[in-house]
């Protein structure tokens, strides 16, 4: 079963939300922009539910791209929930590749990506958006 595409345009303002483009048919999931929704759990609930619909039969290959330039503390557990579901997919045999694109010199975001990789058990490749430089973070399985 392939879930319908989930597309939410990024919203600016006092409580920006990221752009969301989850395409189950292609196995391509993208989050882009800033994530500081007023109610993070409420914003991310449909994304988590969308992933849950595919857990029984995930696509053979999944690419998860994060291009978050900023996110709130309330967003962090939601990102972890997404990564944990992707780890479940990997445990069921899907090839899951997570890549986090960061601004050059944003060491804080590298640290956060490393923390989330370690906690979720899903390796995250961190790529600088300025140069062709990347590093793999996470637990070797």
């Amino acid at each position: 079963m392939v879930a319908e595409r989930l597309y939410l345009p990024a919203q600016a303002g006092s409580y920006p939300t990221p752009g969301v483009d989850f395409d189950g048919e292609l196995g391509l999931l993208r989050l882009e922009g800033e994530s500081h929704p007023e109610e993070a759990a409420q914003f991310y609930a449909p994304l988590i539910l969308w992933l849950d619909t595919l857990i029984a039969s995930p696509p053979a290959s999944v690419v998860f791209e994060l291009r978050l330039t900023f996110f709130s503390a309330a967003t962090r557990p939601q990102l972890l929930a997404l990564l944990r579901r992707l780890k479940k997919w990997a445990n069921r045999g899907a090839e899951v590749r997570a890549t986090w694109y960061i601004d050059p010199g944003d060491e804080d975001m590298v640290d956060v990506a490393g923390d989330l990789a370690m906690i979720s058990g899903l390796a995250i490749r961190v790529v600088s958006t300025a140069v062709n430089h990347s590093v793999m973070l996470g637990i070797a399985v």
Side-chain angles (χ1 to χ4, degrees):
M1 175 182 159
V2 175
E4 291 183 24
R5 187 172 185 178
L6 175 62
Y7 177 80
L8 303 169
Q11 300 293 313
S14 299
Y15 300 102
T17 60
V20 176
D21 192 356
F22 285 9
D23 189 326
E25 190 171 331
L26 295 177
L28 181 58
L29 317 175
R30 290 187 179 135
L31 282 177
E32 187 170 5
E34 291 187 26
S35 181
H36 193 270
E38 191 167 16
E39 297 290 335
Q42 185 177 345
F43 176 81
Y44 280 92
L47 283 65
I48 293 166
L49 239 106
W50 188 92
L51 288 176
D52 285 343
T53 62
L54 293 181
I55 196 71
S57 59
S61 177
V62 178
V63 175
F64 184 45
E65 292 183 356
L66 292 121
R67 295 176 184 268
L68 296 176
T69 56
F70 172 82
F71 65 89
S72 65
T75 294
R76 184 181 172 119
Q78 306 311 315
L79 294 176
L80 184 57
L82 294 172
L83 292 168
R84 284 183 169 154
R85 277 156 177 82
L86 292 172
K87 178 62 176 169
K88 282 184 184 178
W89 285 10
N91 290 343
R92 291 184 179 210
E95 176 190 349
V96 178
R97 291 176 288 146
T99 304
W100 199 317
Y101 296 89
I102 63 162
D103 291 333
D106 191 347
E107 294 304 316
D108 290 338
M109 199 64 86
V110 172
D111 291 343
V112 168
D115 289 346
L116 290 174
M118 198 170 339
I119 295 167
S120 70
L122 183 69
I124 299 174
R125 181 175 171 225
V126 176
V127 177
S128 172
T129 56
V131 293
N132 190 11
H133 175 74
S134 68
V135 63
M136 184 67 85
L137 303 174
I139 301 171
V141 184

